[in-house]
Amino acid sequence: MNRDEEARLTEYLAKLLADGGSCRIVARGRIAMGQSRAMHRLEVECRRPGVEEVERYRILVRVEQWGLLGSDSRDEVRVMQALHAAGFPCAKVYAYETSHDILGQPFFVMEELPGTSGPAPETIDDYVRLLERLHQVDWQAAGLDSFLAVPEGPRGSALEQTERWYGIYRWGLVGEPSPLVEAAHAWLRKNAPETARVTVVHGDPGPGNYLHHEGRVVAAVDWEFTHLGDPEEDWAYLIAMRGAAVMPEEDWVRKIRAITGTVLDAERLRYWKCLNFFKGICIDQTAMKLYMDGTNPAPNMLAIGTGVHLSALKRFCDTAWGPPEG
Amino acid sequence: MSLPVVPDTETILRSCARVLQDVVLPGLEDDWQRFSAALMVGSLQYAIGVMHEDRGAAHRAELATAIAGLKGDLAEEELGAAAANPSPFEVASAMLVWAEEHPGAQAEAVRAALYPVLYRQMEQEAAAATPMMEAFGVAMRGRKDE
């Protein structure tokens, strides 16, 4: 955030938090982890008009990055607001700014909750319960189906996600397609399983995407990929992506069954792991586009568009087809 | 007079990477700035690798050879317009999608010819990106909130 942007943001925060009084940013920093949004942590002191007392806020400003990773803030904000209103633990959103006038991209302002997202093995069971709780949310009562698509047909959850991410991949394509990605798309369409139950799906669950404090889970974070679909998609993501370094797959499967009663079938799990790898492949492609067309020269774009993308592709290949013989 | 010896690109890039690594990075305290500088070191090393070898051209030629060996087996009637596409990546895409959608001996032949080539190229490119991935991995093991 440059000085002009910070000045405009300060003015914006004064309207938002101090009824048009004044605000002062007293501490600032950009969080390096998390790539899809620029995340600025701010400490702000505000004075309302005619009031001497200073109010202090710790907030996060989450700024879009020209479509990086294939999501925008609109649904993310609406999901957070709906879940917060339904009593699910997630941060409160103070405001969503859709214009490009202040920070050059749409952004939203949310409260900073206490806790950290660093590794904490003692919180894993608690987190599994939280994810199961998310899958039990009555999404119709919470109004989520008023803006999230409800999958159609028995294979809709898998097929709609496949097409969503493939569309993002094609948007991000620079030059010719990757034959392995095209084959992966065909494989996912051909093997799409039926879904027994449609739930809220977080889309990026696991360690690093929940906050914990004093050994207890405080909230889930990062709602940009949340949609309605098959909860097995989330379990597969937890097991194969964010949770892969925590414990082996078979231990995860046992733990999830013990805590939630969910029995994960190996073949279906394989499919959902592949879909999650495919999602990674496709969203990473957007970084290549933004880097190559000069929209975003940050070096993490190059890393995501090459190494991270290829890592996901290799995992897809190994899981769907296995390494080549010989 | 002009310089008798113009510094070569690789020396300049390597020097930039060293100075970033040894001088700039240790002085940075902000998380995002450190992350970006570490990735820039990796990016420069990646760029030097690209400079040494035109891997894109080598991949293209290798794939074209693999496709040429299959053309008799998989005719235009299966691939449609894609068969005439000058890009081996486009043709290989069409062939592999066809193979996914039409299981059988012919599909197996396509996969057997193309998959090992593409898999090897993928691994080669992943290895080339290792310097950036190491810096990226360090940041991703960091925390969002500390």
Side-chain angles (χ1 to χ4, degrees):
Chain A
M1 195 184 310
N2 62 37
R3 284 181 184 178
D4 288 346
E5 289 170 339
E6 187 170 313
R8 289 194 295 268
L9 180 63
T10 304
E11 209 172 300
Y12 178 86
L13 293 173
K15 287 181 193 152
L16 176 68
L17 302 173
D19 297 333
S22 65
C23 281
R24 194 166 67 95
I25 295 172
V26 294
R28 61 187 65 67
R30 178 168 171 175
I31 298 169
M33 198 179 164
Q35 306 298 313
S36 60
R37 310 277 190 262
M39 286 272 282
H40 300 279
R41 172 189 288 118
L42 304 177
E43 288 179 36
V44 187
E45 290 181 353
C46 299
R47 272 203 180 88
R48 292 174 195 274
V51 178
E52 273 304 300
E53 191 186 343
V54 173
E55 293 176 43
R56 291 181 173 79
Y57 293 89
R58 291 171 69 94
I59 58 172
L60 293 171
V61 178
R62 201 163 149 83
V63 190
E64 283 188 25
Q65 299 289 287
W66 304 277
L68 176 62
L69 306 190
S71 72
D72 63 36
S73 307
R74 190 189 57 167
D75 286 348
E76 181 181 7
V77 166
R78 292 198 285 191
V79 164
M80 290 176 72
Q81 289 170 331
L83 290 174
H84 192 268
F88 191 86
C90 65
K92 179 180 179 183
V93 175
Y94 289 126
Y96 172 38
E97 176 60 40
T98 56
S99 83
H100 295 59
D101 301 342
I102 294 163
L103 298 180
Q105 286 285 293
F107 65 92
F108 65 93
V109 180
M110 62 181 177
E111 65 175 335
E112 183 181 6
L113 295 169
T116 77
S117 64
E122 73 278 12
T123 63
I124 290 292
D125 288 10
D126 206 13
Y127 178 69
V128 169
R129 277 187 283 273
L130 184 74
L131 189 56
E132 172 64 10
R133 183 177 155 193
L134 179 69
H135 296 161
Q136 300 294 340
V137 164
D138 183 341
W139 44 267
Q140 286 166 310
L144 288 162
D145 57 333
S146 66
F147 56 92
L148 294 178
V150 181
E152 289 180 13
R155 297 167 74 222
S157 293
L159 290 173
E160 287 171 27
Q161 287 301 300
T162 299
E163 295 312 316
R164 174 184 179 186
W165 300 119
Y166 182 66
I168 293 292
Y169 170 74
R170 297 299 298 197
W171 177 84
L173 207 52
V174 178
E176 299 139 292
S178 158
L180 292 177
V181 178
E182 297 298 324
H185 176 229
W187 187 93
L188 287 166
R189 278 186 308 179
K190 188 177 76 179
N191 294 290
E194 294 190 358
T195 288
R197 177 171 71 104
V198 171
T199 72
V200 180
V201 175
H202 181 278
D204 190 5
N209 265 349
Y210 67 88
L211 299 174
H212 53 87
H213 187 56
E214 296 176 346
R216 299 289 299 172
V217 172
V218 176
V221 301
D222 271 12
W223 298 94
E224 72 211 62
F225 297 129
T226 300
H227 58 276
L228 299 176
D230 193 319
E232 289 182 5
E233 182 189 335
D234 263 351
W235 295 124
Y237 194 97
L238 172 64
I239 292 168
M241 308 288 267
R242 289 191 171 272
V246 176
M247 66 183 94
E249 178 173 321
E250 51 275 21
D251 291 355
W252 270 117
V253 169
R254 271 195 296 272
K255 183 178 282 296
I256 290 164
R257 182 175 190 163
I259 293 175
T260 71
T262 302
V263 179
L264 295 168
D265 169 75
E267 196 51 34
R268 291 173 60 86
L269 189 59
R270 174 169 165 256
Y271 178 87
W272 288 110
K273 284 195 296 183
C274 284
L275 188 128
N276 281 310
F277 297 145
F278 184 72
K279 179 164 86 173
I281 292 165
C282 295
I283 64 178
D284 295 340
Q285 183 67 37
T286 63
M288 184 64 101
K289 173 187 167 68
L290 296 173
Y291 190 77
M292 294 295 284
D293 70 14
T295 301
N296 188 349
N300 59 322
M301 297 295 103
L302 181 61
I304 296 170
T306 57
V308 180
H309 166 83
L310 291 165
S311 168
L313 182 57
K314 184 173 186 321
R315 295 190 75 191
F316 182 100
C317 292
D318 289 346
T319 308
W321 302 306
E325 288 173 13
Chain B
M1 62 172 276
S2 62
L3 287 173
V5 177
V6 176
D8 63 279
T9 311
E10 181 174 345
T11 300
I12 296 169
L13 295 181
R14 277 196 196 287
S15 302
C16 288
R18 266 184 66 186
V19 173
L20 261 176
Q21 180 80 55
D22 298 341
V23 180
V24 178
L25 250 171
L28 296 175
E29 291 187 359
D30 178 81
D31 258 7
W32 181 250
Q33 289 176 1
R34 286 185 60 79
F35 175 54
S36 298
L39 276 174
M40 282 170 69
V41 173
S43 301
L44 288 165
Q45 290 165 342
Y46 181 78
I48 291 166
V50 171
M51 222 172 54
H52 272 230
E53 185 190 4
D54 187 351
R55 296 194 304 270
H59 295 336
R60 191 174 296 272
E62 184 185 28
L63 192 56
T65 303
I67 289 168
L70 281 171
K71 277 267 167 96
D73 297 333
L74 205 59
E76 285 175 21
E77 132 187 8
E78 281 93 8
L79 295 181
N85 197 302
S87 160
F89 295 104
E90 295 278 7
V91 178
S93 294
M95 285 180 160
L96 286 176
V97 168
W98 182 90
E100 281 298 328
E101 293 169 350
H102 300 83
Q106 209 171 8
E108 284 310 312
V110 168
R111 261 196 290 268
L114 299 184
Y115 186 56
V117 172
L118 291 162
Y119 193 94
R120 191 169 56 247
Q121 292 180 357
M122 171 183 69
E123 289 197 310
Q124 196 181 349
E125 287 308 308
T130 301
M132 289 183 291
M133 291 299 284
E134 285 170 357
F136 196 83
V138 170
M140 292 305 280
R141 283 193 295 276
R143 298 175 180 199
K144 284 186 176 167
D145 42 0
E146 287 182 350

